Amino acid sequence: MNAQTQKYYKIITYGCQMNEHDAEVLAGQLEQLDYLPIDNDAEADLVILITCAVREHAEQRVYGKIGELYRLKQENPNLVLAVGGCMSQQEDVAKKLKQRFPYLDIIFGTHNLTHFPELLRAAQASQETVLEILDREGEIREHLPQVRQDGLKAWTTIMYGCNNFCTYCVVPYVRGRERSRQPESIIAEVKDLASRGYQEVSLLGQNVNSYGKDLAQDYDFADLLRAVNETGISRIRFMTSHPKDISPRLIEAMATCEHVMEHLHLPVQAGSNRILQAMNRRYTRERYLQLVDEIRTAIPDISLTTDIIVGFPGETEEDFADTLSLMETVRYDAAFTFAYSPRGGTPAAKMLEQVEEAVSKERLQRLNELQARISMERNQELIGSQQELLVEGPSKNDPSRLTGRTRGNKLVHFIGPEELSGQLVPVRITQAQTWNLFGELI
Ligand code: SAH
Ligand code: SF4
């Protein structure tokens, strides 16, 4: 192919790892069409936004970006602009996108990623926006080409969708019902990754603990972890886990599989039973704390992280105090904290007692301050300990150091030769900060 006809694509991804994974699948399809990736939007022939609908803030960023891309389109009318993902999966949002930005070439959803080449052909042949939103999830398609980000860590989606319908959350509406991939395909994929030199795999799903419930055979997430543990890959991570579905079998599998990392992301969302119930989380504060005890008994040095929402409708100062005290009791290693954002079509958006933004913001700040103190303390407790690191490469902020992650998923900076990149090395922790650690090679 000569330089004049070579086409370039740019994919811009918002939101969670599911979207990152979708971007890898799209990239795989585009490269089969002989497109090459490019960093600079202005040099691309095709720009695709994979959008997130979980909070309003992410949506605002997408609207801003589309406006920005319009200027490029004015300079280069052949530029193809496509918007996909969780925002456009919602029919009303897709319509709004089409009306507000008539110059978009393609609007597609989450269930028709694999139609993208056809949509692209249709867009190139038409002046109109090509819009395709499927309201039902299709069959899971295996063996799709994927372009993976680096040669070290890979994501593998083990299941799609979510059945939980937490009352604040849009995910079940935009990602459909739970569908598990066949264990054999997942295992074959991880074996292949290991044979190509990948060291780490993250098994992804909105609620990996309900993996297998929809399969014909009797096979659950604990079985899958045990099988993936035998594939030759060095490190296995997974997310996300719903507390209501963590089983003793799973805790045992985590404790006994040496390649499964000592880290669990266990979103609690709130510390008050009243709010947990209004969120439809289906566990109590007491049950959650008991689970944390069981996990820590089985895996004493596990690192625990969580997601928390503040300002859910009806949250009083007393409810919020329960969230603070739960955080203090569990002592998470890190927490992703969010101010509640009403999402169209979800039950919580219609609840009457919406909390004022200023109140949510102030609570969020107090929560973050508490977590920062706890994260710092947890990191200080690691000083002097020996940790196994997977070395990722030179540190972004200080290229004279290398950066790696512990089994507990903490970032450690240390001095060492660059050839260690991609390897597992032992270090001793010498210094702690709130969000990272410093160490020395042993
Ligand atoms: N399936 C995962 C995560 C889904 S979205 C789980 O159940 O944990 C990631 C996080 O975004 C959620 O855990 C929640 O904390 C947050 N979130 C989801 N909807 C939200 C909303 N409407 N407002 C604020 N935060 C939200
Ligand atoms: Fe959303 Fe709840 Fe499903 Fe997570 S479990 S994706 S928060 S509905």
Side-chain angles (χ1 to χ4, degrees):
M1 182 158 299
N2 69 43
Q4 255 118 39
T5 56
Q6 178 61 60
K7 292 209 185 263
Y8 293 96
Y9 73 91
K10 167 82 186 272
I11 303 179
I12 302 167
T13 309
Y14 299 83
C16 68
Q17 279 94 344
M18 286 288 174
N19 277 3
E20 303 276 355
H21 172 85
D22 285 355
E24 292 179 346
V25 171
L26 273 179
Q29 297 182 68
L30 293 172
E31 298 200 5
Q32 286 203 323
L33 299 175
D34 289 329
Y35 276 74
L36 286 178
I38 197 151
D39 265 346
N40 185 353
D41 302 356
E43 291 172 46
D45 301 281
L46 165 65
V47 178
I48 309 176
L49 306 187
I50 313 272
T51 61
C52 170
V54 163
R55 281 169 295 275
E56 198 190 338
H57 175 68
E59 295 199 351
Q60 293 309 339
R61 284 174 58 210
V62 167
Y63 290 130
K65 186 70 192 179
I66 299 176
E68 196 184 295
L69 291 169
Y70 180 49
R71 283 195 290 280
L72 292 182
K73 178 105 174 158
Q74 283 174 314
E75 282 162 30
N76 170 14
N78 292 329
L79 172 64
V80 177
L81 292 183
V83 177
C86 293
M87 271 171 77
S88 40
Q89 179 61 35
Q90 303 166 89
E91 234 164 275
D92 53 332
V93 181
K95 272 194 205 134
K96 186 166 138 196
L97 281 168
K98 190 173 169 185
Q99 268 165 10
R100 186 163 156 196
F101 308 106
Y103 51 86
L104 287 176
D105 299 283
I106 306 173
I107 299 175
F108 62 111
T110 57
H111 300 316
N112 53 348
L113 274 190
T114 54
H115 294 185
F116 194 79
E118 287 123 72
L119 300 179
L120 183 59
R121 264 191 296 278
Q124 281 161 337
S126 153
Q127 297 295 315
E128 302 277 302
T129 306
V130 175
L131 187 147
E132 187 192 73
I133 313 293
L134 304 185
D135 61 0
R136 289 219 29 203
E137 48 274 35
E139 290 286 294
I140 295 178
R141 287 189 41 191
E142 295 291 353
H143 310 298
L144 293 171
Q146 284 178 47
V147 175
R148 291 198 141 107
Q149 294 279 327
D150 65 19
L152 195 60
K153 304 198 285 183
W155 294 302
T156 292
T157 301
I158 62 165
M159 59 188 298
Y160 298 87
C162 179
N163 290 356
N164 287 321
F165 290 94
C166 302
T167 53
Y168 49 82
C169 185
V170 77
V171 170
Y173 306 93
V174 293
R175 291 277 174 179
R177 296 294 71 72
E178 287 173 0
R179 285 148 289 146
S180 303
R181 286 179 62 198
Q182 292 299 326
E184 307 80 63
S185 333
I186 300 168
I187 294 159
E189 191 173 317
V190 180
K191 275 191 183 151
D192 175 58
L193 288 168
S195 71
R196 289 193 285 134
Y198 281 84
Q199 296 269 23
E200 181 174 306
V201 69
S202 294
L203 308 176
L204 294 183
Q206 295 298 344
N207 176 15
V208 289
N209 310 123
S210 53
Y211 174 80
K213 285 187 183 160
D214 57 323
L215 292 175
Q217 71 266 49
D218 189 13
Y219 195 94
D220 69 5
F221 185 56
D223 295 318
L224 184 70
L225 269 188
R226 288 186 193 278
V228 175
N229 193 51
E230 305 300 321
T231 53
I233 197 103
S234 307
R235 290 183 156 200
I236 304 162
R237 302 187 184 280
F238 57 88
M239 68 190 299
T240 297
S241 295
H242 195 302
K244 78 173 166 48
D245 296 316
I246 296 240
S247 64
R249 274 170 58 74
L250 174 62
I251 298 176
E252 203 197 316
M254 287 181 70
T256 48
C257 292
E258 65 165 304
H259 298 294
V260 175
M261 296 297 100
E262 291 80 20
H263 171 215
L264 183 64
H265 185 63
L266 194 62
V268 67
Q269 312 297 1
S272 138
N273 280 335
R274 213 172 64 81
I275 298 296
L276 284 172
Q277 193 175 12
M279 287 176 161
N280 189 32
R281 290 291 289 179
R282 288 177 274 177
Y283 52 83
T284 59
R285 169 194 180 91
E286 292 72 28
R287 171 69 194 126
Y288 184 93
L289 290 174
Q290 184 194 357
L291 199 54
V292 167
D293 274 349
E294 286 165 18
I295 293 162
R296 285 213 167 115
T297 304
I299 312 160
D301 49 357
I302 194 159
S303 74
L304 281 178
T305 56
T306 199
D307 291 347
I308 295 178
I309 299 176
V310 300
F312 184 82
E315 185 188 73
T316 61
E317 186 54 35
E318 207 182 337
D319 294 316
F320 177 62
D322 285 345
T323 298
L324 290 173
S325 81
L326 181 129
M327 182 178 257
E328 188 90 73
T329 307
V330 177
R331 301 185 74 240
Y332 293 105
D333 291 272
F336 297 92
T337 57
F338 309 101
Y340 167 72
S341 166
R343 306 283 64 214
T346 62
K350 295 188 215 87
M351 292 179 185
L352 295 177
E353 301 170 81
Q354 300 287 324
V355 174
E356 273 178 49
E357 203 182 312
V359 173
S360 294
K361 273 202 175 143
E362 191 270 339
R363 287 181 189 163
L364 191 61
Q365 195 181 342
R366 277 193 281 157
L367 191 69
N368 288 342
E369 280 164 17
L370 174 61
Q371 184 54 49
R373 195 199 85 211
I374 296 170
S375 292
M376 180 66 173
E377 288 169 6
R378 298 277 297 161
N379 280 350
Q380 279 169 337
E381 287 159 21
L382 294 176
I383 293 178
S385 70
Q386 183 176 328
Q387 301 283 332
E388 175 200 272
L389 290 192
L390 173 58
V391 184
E392 294 181 358
S395 150
K396 283 197 189 98
N397 299 331
D398 174 4
S400 70
R401 292 176 197 271
L402 294 175
T403 292
R405 284 200 185 258
T406 64
R407 293 174 66 95
N409 210 26
K410 301 206 174 195
L411 214 52
V412 181
H413 305 295
F414 67 102
I415 292 176
E418 218 178 307
E419 303 83 83
L420 293 182
S421 295
Q423 294 187 30
L424 293 170
V425 300
V427 295
R428 187 167 318 282
I429 303 302
T430 53
Q431 211 187 319
Q433 293 182 343
T434 311
W435 309 121
N436 53 46
L437 298 159
F438 290 85
E440 57 193 23
L441 274 173
I442 299 178

